[in-house]
Amino acid sequence: MNEFRIISIEEFDADFVQNIRVKKPQPKAAPVSFIPEMIKTDTMPAEVETPVITEEPLDVYSSETPDIKYSAPEEDTSSHYFSKHADDEEKEKYDEPAPYINSSKKKSKGGMLAGKIISIIMLCITVVTFLLGCFTSAFLNNGADIGGVSFNTQLRDISIGNDTIKEGALIISKKVATSEYTENLNRPVAVIVDGKETEGCDIMYIYSTKDVTIENAFVEVYDPISNQISSRLYSHSDVFGIVTHYIPFIGNLLSFAINNAILVCALFVLLIVFWCLIIVLISKNKKKYA
């Protein structure tokens, strides 16, 4: 009932004055979209109007005033690695990934290099063996000498001191003058074997000499197996020389090579071709992995 009562003139006048001086807050505009618009840092905020202060001060900064937040600029992470004045070449250098090293490829290169070295060594050994064999065979068991050095094949097993010389060993002996036999008493000499002058030699020890001249001398020997003096006297031409060295089994091997010269030569040629082929194949494969 109070809403429809009749007010007095004094109340009406006071209410009119109050409504004129105080501004009513304006309602907040509805947002266009539900996504808030990002606040730009380069624009200046709108000036806040200064409210009119009445006799009774009002709280103009109400809860409806929006809070303005400034977003901090993003940190430039590139400054950790490059300065502002870094060249493009340096950037590309650091941006490039580290090269990948294939361990299996490295091992294959090492294996091919080792195989090539071994093949070259075997080729050299094959060639040297062939040349030495041919050279020695030309002077084996024929009485010929090279600078006074003779090569013969031992025809039986004997013992000289602590060494045992088996049949088939290569005997290397050096010829001496007729006057030097007396200086080499009790030393082993290589002598010819009856009926086997072109097949090999036998080793005896010098016991004494007789009828020594400038051109000829007769040598009395004893057998190292039986320690008995031989009844035969060997002339200077029957003695190949003083034994200096021996190599086991090489005498029989060289004798076999002489008797089968064509097959042995063909075998060495094939070996040389084989090692050369291996070297060529390794070189081609090495270029592929380069």
Side-chain angles (χ1 to χ4, degrees):
M1 295 296 291
N2 292 331
E3 293 179 359
F4 300 100
R5 72 182 179 84
I6 299 172
I7 63 176
S8 64
I9 294 174
E10 289 81 9
E11 292 176 351
F12 178 79
D13 192 23
D15 185 49
F16 177 77
V17 172
Q18 184 178 1
N19 290 334
I20 289 175
R21 290 186 178 183
V22 178
K23 291 184 180 181
K24 294 183 179 181
Q26 297 294 327
K28 187 175 182 181
V32 179
S33 64
F34 292 99
I35 301 175
E37 186 178 0
M38 294 183 66
I39 299 174
K40 298 182 180 179
T41 59
D42 55 351
T43 59
M44 298 295 294
E47 296 182 359
V48 181
E49 295 181 2
T50 305
V52 178
I53 303 174
T54 60
E55 294 177 356
E56 295 178 4
L58 298 177
D59 187 10
V60 296
Y61 294 99
S62 61
S63 60
E64 296 178 355
T65 304
D67 295 333
I68 300 175
K69 296 182 180 180
Y70 294 91
S71 60
E74 296 182 357
E75 185 180 359
D76 187 6
T77 57
S78 62
S79 61
H80 295 289
Y81 303 97
F82 308 104
S83 64
K84 295 182 179 179
H85 304 285
D87 297 331
D88 294 338
E89 295 181 357
E90 294 181 358
K91 290 183 180 180
E92 292 178 358
K93 180 179 178 182
Y94 285 99
D95 290 340
E96 290 180 356
Y100 174 71
I101 300 175
N102 193 345
S103 59
S104 61
K105 185 177 180 181
K106 189 175 181 181
K107 290 180 180 179
S108 62
K109 285 184 178 180
M112 286 188 292
L113 180 61
K116 188 175 183 180
I117 293 173
I118 293 173
S119 299
I120 292 173
I121 293 173
M122 293 303 298
L123 176 63
C124 295
I125 292 174
T126 303
V127 173
V128 171
T129 303
F130 178 73
L131 294 177
L132 287 177
C134 293
F135 181 78
T136 306
S137 298
F139 301 93
L140 183 67
N141 297 330
N142 56 11
D145 61 90
I146 307 169
V149 178
S150 301
F151 301 93
N152 296 277
T153 304
Q154 177 64 21
L155 295 180
R156 65 168 181 165
D157 296 345
I158 62 170
S159 296
I160 299 178
N162 296 326
D163 296 333
T164 299
I165 302 176
K166 294 185 175 297
E167 180 183 355
L170 178 66
I171 304 299
I172 303 174
S173 57
K174 185 176 182 179
K175 284 187 172 294
V176 294
T178 56
S179 59
E180 295 178 358
Y181 285 115
T182 55
E183 300 174 2
N184 293 280
L185 296 177
N186 297 321
R187 293 194 61 183
V189 290
V191 297
I192 62 173
V193 180
D194 293 340
K196 298 181 180 179
E197 287 81 1
T198 60
E199 295 183 12
C201 69
D202 193 10
I203 294 179
M204 298 286 183
Y205 278 81
I206 300 174
Y207 181 74
S208 64
T209 58
K210 295 181 179 180
D211 301 331
V212 178
T213 62
I214 298 176
E215 297 180 356
N216 195 14
F218 290 94
V219 180
E220 188 176 17
V221 297
Y222 68 92
D223 193 337
I225 301 299
S226 62
N227 289 327
Q228 297 293 325
I229 298 174
S230 175
S231 59
R232 178 181 176 179
L233 295 176
Y234 292 90
S235 64
H236 180 65
S237 59
D238 296 333
V239 178
F240 295 114
I242 306 294
V243 177
T244 57
H245 301 88
Y246 73 94
I247 305 174
F249 309 112
I250 298 299
N252 279 344
L253 186 60
L254 291 175
S255 298
F256 174 81
I258 293 171
N259 296 330
N260 303 275
I262 297 175
L263 294 176
V264 173
C265 290
L267 176 62
F268 273 96
V269 170
L270 290 175
L271 284 175
I272 292 172
V273 172
F274 172 76
W275 293 121
C276 291
L277 183 62
I278 293 296
I279 294 171
V280 171
L281 291 176
I282 292 175
S283 299
K284 288 184 177 180
N285 290 331
K286 189 177 181 181
K287 292 180 179 179
K288 292 181 181 180
Y289 285 93

